[in-house]
Amino acid sequence: MKSVLIIASVALALPSVAFGQSAKVKQAEAMTMANNFTVAKKSIDEAMAHPKTQNDAYTYAVASYVYASAAKAEPATVFKVKEFLEKAYELDQQGKKPGKNLKKIQKLLPDITKGLFNSGAELFGKKNYAEASKAFETQLWVNSKTENYVAAADSDIMLNAGLASYNAQEWARGAEFLMMSTKYSHEPKSYIFAVECYKQLKDDANVERVLKEGYERYPNSTDMLNSLIDYYNQAGRDDDAMTYINLAIKKNPTFAPYYRARGTLLSKKDLVAAIDDYKKAVELAPEDFASNYYLAWSYSDLGDHFKREAGDAWRDQKKADALSAKSDEYYKLAAPIFEKTVNLTDNVEYKKQCYEKLRNIYYATEASKNIMDNYNRINAIYKSL
């Protein structure tokens, strides 16, 4: 009888041990729902280590859920979420009844993906960008396991993964997710950030390709158009830049920066034509520092040009005088604009540039007349900076 009782007691003990470890899985699930991730993680780690539950598919499904949700507090856990869920699917196909836990696992997927999204958002806010990107990437993978999955529904998650990678300076990874999102997104942001990733990778072919593709898809996007203009301008492809600037002006004829940009391109070949665009920019935005600055310098450059020509014509006094008068004419146009421009910026270096040029202009136009009031005034201000 004693031996029977011993066997019986052992037999009774076995279910209680199994139940104890199964309870750990349930406790981990419940504690995750209660946002008590420390207890949840401890419980599921013990369950995964115990012989009675370490080969149970649902244990790993719950582990995936716990680690997905706990990542907001312990970022490194996000890298285990996919591994655990893959383990759950693998174990579910083993044993006497393959697939017996599949419905339970699938039922847990929405909680896992919710945990990943919340963790990803919080990690992004804390600037743990690499971990945030992994959270969003894993969320995409988990969502793909759901019944009747539609990738288009995840366009924002693709964008999130791309933006997190961009901020983590993982350029290739960022470009991959951002371009993935362009297939389904309804805004140009994905293209714009993908371009920045390709720029960092020094992949000019993809920079141009993505810019053109983005603009073709979003022809009314000012950001896409401006990005194209900037790209061609920085690449020194003036003809291409001019094409898109002219298109931009046609679409938005009251936007001063477009005229200023076209003036900058024109100034390389035709300063007079450039001045017309700078004047238009100032007309549209009278207090814009850059437009006034470029207009003043253009007048001044023309004044310098005719002053040099006057010096070269010293053998023909009449011609020299005419050219000198032309020089003064442009200097007098430049001076009041420089006087205005210095009050449109707090940048000391820009102020010094303007005052130095003003000083030279007033010297050139006043010295011969023995009237140095403006020169002396500006010289004093320049020396005080």
Side-chain angles (χ1 to χ4, degrees):
M1 288 294 295
K2 288 183 180 179
S3 61
V4 173
L5 286 173
I6 291 171
I7 293 170
S9 64
V10 172
L12 287 170
L14 287 175
S16 68
V17 172
F19 176 77
Q21 293 310 312
S22 177
K24 290 289 185 183
V25 176
K26 292 179 181 178
Q27 182 184 41
E29 192 171 356
M31 288 297 98
T32 300
M33 293 176 67
N35 292 324
N36 191 337
F37 304 122
T38 301
V39 174
K41 188 170 178 298
K42 184 175 183 294
S43 297
I44 201 64
D45 285 347
E46 290 176 0
M48 288 189 291
H50 197 277
K52 295 298 181 180
T53 44
Q54 66 182 191
N55 292 314
D56 181 70
Y58 194 65
T59 297
Y60 289 90
V62 172
S64 181
Y65 171 42
V66 172
Y67 274 60
S69 302
K72 64 173 69 176
E74 192 175 334
T77 62
V78 74
F79 295 99
K80 303 290 286 185
V81 176
K82 182 178 179 181
E83 175 188 329
F84 289 150
L85 192 54
E86 286 179 324
K87 183 73 172 176
Y89 283 123
E90 178 187 336
L91 289 172
D92 188 51
Q93 294 304 309
Q94 299 174 4
K96 296 179 180 179
K97 295 182 178 180
K100 70 175 183 178
N101 286 299
L102 185 59
K103 286 186 178 181
K104 288 174 66 180
I105 294 171
Q106 293 299 103
K107 189 176 179 180
L108 199 56
L109 294 186
D111 291 327
I112 296 173
T113 195
K114 180 181 178 181
L116 285 166
F117 176 79
N118 290 337
S119 291
E122 189 147 338
L123 290 166
F124 192 100
K126 292 178 179 178
K127 299 185 179 180
N128 291 331
Y129 297 122
E131 292 86 354
S133 174
K134 186 64 179 179
F136 294 130
E137 177 192 21
T138 307
Q139 184 184 358
L140 289 171
W141 179 81
V142 173
N143 285 350
S144 72
K145 298 294 182 182
T146 58
E147 190 176 357
N148 300 321
Y149 174 66
V150 179
D154 274 344
S155 62
D156 286 344
I157 306 304
M158 297 170 193
L159 177 59
N160 289 343
L163 292 176
S165 297
Y166 170 85
N167 281 284
Q169 298 185 6
E170 297 174 340
W171 309 120
R173 180 180 170 83
E176 177 186 356
F177 286 116
L178 290 163
M179 290 310 297
M180 189 187 300
S181 74
T182 63
K183 298 176 183 177
Y184 313 105
S185 178
H186 298 292
E187 56 178 314
K189 183 187 295 185
S190 298
Y191 283 104
I192 291 168
F193 279 96
V195 165
E196 293 306 312
C197 288
Y198 285 126
K199 282 181 180 178
Q200 294 295 330
L201 292 167
K202 302 187 186 308
D203 187 347
D204 285 344
N206 271 320
V207 169
E208 184 173 11
R209 176 185 66 81
V210 174
L211 279 172
K212 284 186 171 181
E213 181 182 318
Y215 182 67
E216 287 172 6
R217 186 169 176 187
Y218 300 103
N220 294 321
S221 168
T222 301
D223 289 337
M224 287 305 314
L225 185 53
N226 290 348
S227 295
L228 263 172
I229 293 169
D230 288 343
Y231 169 70
Y232 286 126
N233 195 29
Q234 291 173 19
R237 294 169 59 175
D238 292 351
D239 290 343
D240 290 319
M242 186 65 79
T243 296
Y244 285 101
I245 289 175
N246 287 334
L247 183 59
I249 289 174
K250 185 177 180 180
K251 286 174 174 282
N252 191 352
T254 60
F255 189 59
Y258 288 149
Y259 292 96
R260 188 178 69 234
R262 188 168 70 179
T264 302
L265 286 178
L266 288 170
S267 68
K268 298 176 182 180
K269 297 179 180 179
D270 187 347
L271 202 51
V272 174
I275 284 173
D276 287 339
D277 272 337
Y278 292 145
K279 286 170 66 177
K280 182 66 176 180
V282 170
E283 176 189 325
L284 293 169
E287 303 304 307
D288 178 54
F289 167 77
S291 298
N292 282 277
Y293 180 83
Y294 288 131
L295 179 58
W297 274 98
S298 296
Y299 280 137
S300 176
D301 286 344
L302 281 174
D304 291 344
H305 168 74
F306 286 111
K307 184 178 180 181
R308 287 192 298 272
E309 286 202 344
D312 292 339
W314 60 274
R315 289 187 179 88
D316 185 339
Q317 190 61 48
K318 186 177 180 180
K319 181 179 180 181
D321 289 345
L323 289 168
S324 183
K326 193 75 171 174
S327 173
D328 285 354
E329 179 184 328
Y330 281 112
Y331 282 150
K332 289 175 181 177
L333 288 170
I337 304 174
F338 273 124
E339 295 266 18
K340 172 188 176 184
T341 302
V342 294
N343 296 314
L344 298 177
T345 180
D346 294 323
N347 186 296
V348 175
E349 287 305 312
Y350 282 133
K351 283 180 177 290
K352 288 179 72 174
Q353 289 177 21
C354 292
Y355 279 126
E356 183 175 18
K357 192 62 184 178
L358 262 174
R359 185 177 62 172
N360 295 338
I361 287 173
Y362 286 135
Y363 184 85
T365 56
E366 294 182 344
S368 62
K369 302 174 184 176
N370 294 317
I371 304 173
M372 301 295 286
D373 294 348
N374 283 319
Y375 171 83
N376 291 331
R377 174 174 60 85
I378 297 301
N379 191 43
I381 296 172
Y382 176 76
K383 287 182 175 181
S384 71
L385 294 175

